[in-house]
Amino acid sequence: MRFSCAALFIIKLKLGSVLIKNFTVYLIRHGETYLNKYDRMQGWADAPLTPQGIEDAHMAAKKVQDVHFDQAFSSDLTRAVHTAHIILDDTKNDALKVTQLPNIREAFFGYFEGANGPETWDTICRPLGYNGIDDFLKDHTFYETRDAMHAADPFHDAEDAQAFKKRILAGIDQLAEKANDGETLLVVSHMDAIRSLIQLLNPQIDVHLPIKNGSLNILNFTDNQAEVVAYDK
């Protein structure tokens, strides 16, 4: 499924020059972890993959089994690194090293790390007049959830929208700088990081529902624009 092209301001390089190169990113969510299985908040908390999570990674590899990757990247969290290695092994791209980019980590949930997911979002959203996160997202963006969580965190350690967006965009800048013209990149990241990026690139895509573990998203970068070619496949 192909989506309309959206202007991509985020890959203007730090020196102020506009990126002039073409590359493709296969952006995949990591496999299921034990915190996913137990419906716990998992941002920088780093639970290992479950047996189902390992299978998720193998299934993700089948979606890209005929793709030759020139470079491979993941966040620096174990679940993403493990998923990336499984995909590279299964697709016979195992000679590639996985470059870890902390900037494409999941959002940091601060005080709420490891807490029960539905209870956490109930705590955050009900005082704002919403019945949980799905109800909240009908009227708000993912970046606004970051501000709501930051405000509800008694320590205010959870990343707010500005900090999260700045970090994710810095991660995309890193990918753009490392990519060579014409290359195909494997990138393994996280649910909210992926959905937040997709929402920036193409606000017409409905990203409020959770994406699957091992889901495939494809981005084409052309000069200073990006096209979302596939989402949550």
Side-chain angles (χ1 to χ4, degrees):
M1 184 174 184
R2 186 173 293 270
F3 301 95
S4 60
C5 187
L8 185 64
F9 61 91
I10 58 177
I11 57 173
K12 290 183 179 179
L13 301 181
K14 293 185 177 72
L15 295 178
S17 60
V18 177
L19 179 74
I20 304 297
K21 63 174 77 168
N22 304 326
F23 61 97
T24 299
V25 171
Y26 284 74
L27 179 60
I28 294 176
R29 185 189 176 197
H30 63 79
E32 181 195 66
T33 70
Y34 282 96
L35 288 180
N36 291 150
K37 180 178 180 179
Y38 305 145
D39 205 357
R40 297 278 171 171
M41 300 297 296
Q42 183 178 221
W44 291 5
D46 202 12
L49 298 182
T50 63
Q52 177 59 52
I54 293 171
E55 180 60 23
D56 291 337
H58 287 302
M59 291 302 295
K62 290 181 180 179
K63 300 173 188 177
V64 294
Q65 60 184 343
D66 296 323
V67 178
H68 168 75
F69 293 111
D70 298 292
Q71 296 190 64
F73 302 87
S74 75
S75 89
D76 60 336
L77 297 175
T78 303
R79 59 191 186 269
V81 177
H82 191 181
T83 299
H85 280 297
I86 291 172
I87 293 170
L88 291 177
D89 287 346
D90 284 3
T91 58
K92 297 181 171 56
N93 287 284
D94 50 305
L96 293 179
K97 71 171 187 176
V98 177
T99 300
Q100 298 177 30
L101 300 178
N103 279 329
I104 61 171
R105 278 186 178 192
E106 185 58 288
F108 181 45
F109 300 142
Y111 173 79
F112 300 108
E113 288 281 346
N116 178 278
E119 290 178 2
T120 294
W121 287 117
D122 187 73
T123 297
I124 293 169
C125 295
R126 281 196 180 276
L128 303 175
Y130 293 93
N131 295 318
I133 186 61
D134 287 342
D135 193 25
F136 182 85
L137 284 171
K138 291 177 183 177
D139 295 331
H140 299 276
T141 67
F142 273 100
Y143 291 100
E144 290 172 307
T145 67
R146 301 278 68 80
D147 284 336
M149 179 177 282
H150 177 78
D153 182 343
F155 296 92
H156 299 301
D157 285 336
E159 280 186 296
D160 63 18
Q162 182 179 6
F164 183 54
K165 183 184 292 187
K166 181 178 179 181
R167 177 169 63 77
I168 292 298
L169 297 187
I172 301 305
D173 272 336
Q174 287 179 293
L175 289 175
E177 290 172 350
K178 291 177 181 295
N180 296 305
D181 190 43
E183 286 192 334
T184 299
L185 313 182
L186 171 68
V187 180
V188 180
S189 186
H190 306 266
M191 180 166 67
D192 282 4
I194 292 170
R195 290 193 291 176
S196 298
L197 175 61
I198 296 295
Q199 190 167 70
L200 276 178
L201 300 186
N202 191 334
Q204 296 176 353
I205 300 174
D206 183 3
V207 298
H208 97 271
L209 293 176
I211 64 173
K212 302 178 291 292
N213 289 105
S215 67
L216 171 64
N217 310 271
I218 304 174
L219 311 176
N220 279 343
F221 290 76
T222 304
D223 297 336
N224 67 332
Q225 293 187 326
E227 181 182 16
V228 181
V229 177
Y231 174 65
D232 194 24
K233 300 302 180 183

